[in-house]
Amino acid sequence: MAKTVLAVDDDPFILKVVEKFLQIKGCKVVTMTDPEKAYFWAEKNKPDLVISDVAMPGVDGFTLIRNLKANKETTHIPLVMLTASDKVSDVEKGYASGARAYLLKPIDWDRAWPKLQPFL
């Protein structure tokens, strides 16, 4: 059965790229631009993986990840950050928030796929 991935990013183009790549790899992909709606969707549907941008209007990716980790219904879901920021402080903050991997934009799928495979 196909694994379900929830991808959250305020950029529809990035979401389409992530969606197409993961579909090619056999995943079912749900995309959302609103982190708050994504949180409630994840709580209800329990995806196999959440991939989230960091910088988004309103709730940022760090907060989304922390909230999912703090919820007993979603704490088991592996979380991956996807961002353009390669600052060491942001990477550390991502892992401290509960992320299991940290991917950089633009996405190099040859490097990103091995980081995602263990969760799918």
Side-chain angles (χ1 to χ4, degrees):
M1 185 160 92
K3 300 284 185 161
T4 300
V5 178
L6 171 60
V8 186
D9 198 304
D10 59 322
D11 184 333
F13 176 76
I14 294 292
L15 286 175
K16 187 55 78 179
V17 169
V18 170
E19 178 181 39
K20 291 297 179 194
F21 178 81
L22 291 173
Q23 285 175 338
I24 289 168
K25 295 296 187 180
C27 299
K28 176 183 174 195
V29 183
V30 175
T31 61
M32 297 190 151
T33 57
D34 182 329
E36 289 182 88
K37 288 180 182 174
Y39 171 81
F40 291 110
W41 187 92
E43 184 178 45
K44 179 180 178 186
N45 296 282
K46 319 261 184 324
D48 297 292
L49 175 67
V50 174
I51 300 174
S52 178
D53 184 18
V54 171
M56 295 180 280
V59 175
D60 67 14
F62 296 126
T63 303
L64 172 61
I65 297 288
R66 275 194 307 273
N67 290 344
L68 289 169
K69 277 294 167 196
N71 183 331
K72 66 180 174 133
E73 296 293 321
T74 57
T75 193
H76 68 283
I77 300 170
L79 309 164
V80 173
M81 304 300 302
L82 175 63
T83 182
S85 176
D86 64 353
K87 293 186 333 190
V88 172
S89 61
D90 282 346
V91 173
E92 290 172 347
K93 188 174 179 181
Y95 284 115
S97 298
R100 304 269 298 276
Y102 198 92
L103 306 177
L104 291 176
K105 295 177 188 174
I107 305 164
D108 176 347
W109 288 111
D110 289 333
R111 295 182 73 195
W113 180 239
K115 293 180 181 181
L116 297 175
Q117 268 184 306
F119 312 120
L120 299 172

Coordinates of all heavy atoms in Angstrom, one line a residue, residues 16-29 109 113:
K16 N 4.2 21.3 -5.9 CA 4.0 20.5 -7.1 C 5.3 19.7 -7.4 O 5.1 18.5 -7.8 CB 3.7 21.4 -8.3 CG 3.3 20.7 -9.5 CD 2.1 19.7 -9.4 CE 0.8 20.4 -9.3 NZ -0.3 19.4 -9.2
V17 N 6.4 20.2 -7.2 CA 7.7 19.5 -7.4 C 7.8 18.3 -6.4 O 8.1 17.2 -6.8 CB 8.9 20.4 -7.3 CG1 10.2 19.7 -7.3 CG2 8.9 21.5 -8.4
V18 N 7.5 18.6 -5.2 CA 7.6 17.5 -4.1 C 6.5 16.5 -4.5 O 6.8 15.3 -4.4 CB 7.3 18.1 -2.7 CG1 7.2 17.0 -1.7 CG2 8.5 19.1 -2.3
E19 N 5.3 16.9 -4.8 CA 4.3 16.0 -5.1 C 4.6 15.0 -6.3 O 4.5 13.8 -6.2 CB 3.0 16.7 -5.4 CG 1.8 15.8 -5.8 CD 0.6 16.6 -6.1 OE1 0.7 17.7 -6.8 OE2 -0.5 16.2 -5.7
K20 N 5.1 15.6 -7.3 CA 5.4 14.8 -8.5 C 6.5 13.8 -8.2 O 6.5 12.6 -8.6 CB 5.8 15.7 -9.7 CG 4.6 16.5 -10.3 CD 3.6 15.5 -10.8 CE 2.4 16.3 -11.4 NZ 1.2 15.5 -11.6
F21 N 7.6 14.3 -7.6 CA 8.7 13.4 -7.3 C 8.2 12.2 -6.4 O 8.5 11.0 -6.7 CB 9.8 14.1 -6.6 CG 11.0 13.2 -6.2 CD1 11.9 12.8 -7.1 CD2 11.1 12.7 -4.9 CE1 13.0 12.0 -6.8 CE2 12.1 11.8 -4.6 CZ 13.0 11.5 -5.5
L22 N 7.5 12.5 -5.3 CA 7.1 11.4 -4.4 C 6.0 10.5 -5.1 O 6.0 9.3 -4.8 CB 6.5 12.0 -3.1 CG 7.6 12.7 -2.3 CD1 7.0 13.4 -1.1 CD2 8.7 11.7 -1.8
Q23 N 5.2 11.0 -5.9 CA 4.3 10.2 -6.7 C 5.0 9.2 -7.6 O 4.7 8.0 -7.7 CB 3.3 11.0 -7.5 CG 2.2 11.7 -6.7 CD 1.3 12.6 -7.5 OE1 1.7 13.0 -8.6 NE2 0.2 12.9 -6.9
I24 N 6.1 9.7 -8.2 CA 6.9 8.8 -9.0 C 7.5 7.7 -8.1 O 7.7 6.5 -8.6 CB 8.1 9.6 -9.7 CG1 7.5 10.4 -10.8 CG2 9.2 8.7 -10.3 CD1 8.4 11.5 -11.4
K25 N 7.8 8.0 -6.9 CA 8.4 7.0 -6.0 C 7.3 6.1 -5.3 O 7.6 5.3 -4.5 CB 9.2 7.7 -4.9 CG 10.4 8.4 -5.4 CD 11.4 7.4 -6.0 CE 12.7 8.1 -6.3 NZ 13.7 7.1 -6.9
G26 N 6.0 6.3 -5.8 CA 5.0 5.4 -5.3 C 4.2 5.9 -4.1 O 3.4 5.2 -3.5
C27 N 4.4 7.2 -3.7 CA 3.7 7.7 -2.5 C 2.4 8.4 -2.9 O 2.3 8.9 -4.0 CB 4.6 8.7 -1.8 SG 6.1 8.0 -1.2
K28 N 1.4 8.4 -2.0 CA 0.3 9.3 -2.1 C 0.7 10.6 -1.4 O 1.2 10.5 -0.3 CB -0.9 8.6 -1.4 CG -2.1 9.5 -1.3 CD -3.3 8.9 -0.5 CE -4.4 9.9 -0.5 NZ -5.4 9.5 0.6
V29 N 0.4 11.7 -2.1 CA 0.9 13.0 -1.5 C -0.3 13.9 -1.4 O -1.1 14.1 -2.3 CB 1.9 13.6 -2.4 CG1 2.4 14.9 -1.8 CG2 3.1 12.7 -2.7
W109 N 17.3 16.0 -5.5 CA 16.6 14.7 -5.2 C 17.5 13.6 -5.0 O 17.2 12.6 -4.3 CB 15.5 14.4 -6.2 CG 14.3 15.4 -6.0 CD1 13.9 16.3 -6.9 CD2 13.4 15.4 -4.9 NE1 12.9 17.0 -6.4 CE2 12.5 16.5 -5.2 CE3 13.3 14.7 -3.7 CZ2 11.5 16.8 -4.3 CZ3 12.3 15.0 -2.9 CH2 11.4 16.1 -3.2
W113 N 16.4 12.0 -1.5 CA 15.7 10.7 -1.5 C 16.3 9.8 -0.4 O 15.5 9.2 0.3 CB 15.7 10.1 -2.9 CG 15.0 8.8 -2.9 CD1 15.5 7.6 -3.3 CD2 13.6 8.5 -2.5 NE1 14.5 6.6 -3.1 CE2 13.4 7.1 -2.6 CE3 12.6 9.3 -2.0 CZ2 12.1 6.5 -2.3 CZ3 11.4 8.7 -1.7 CH2 11.2 7.4 -1.9

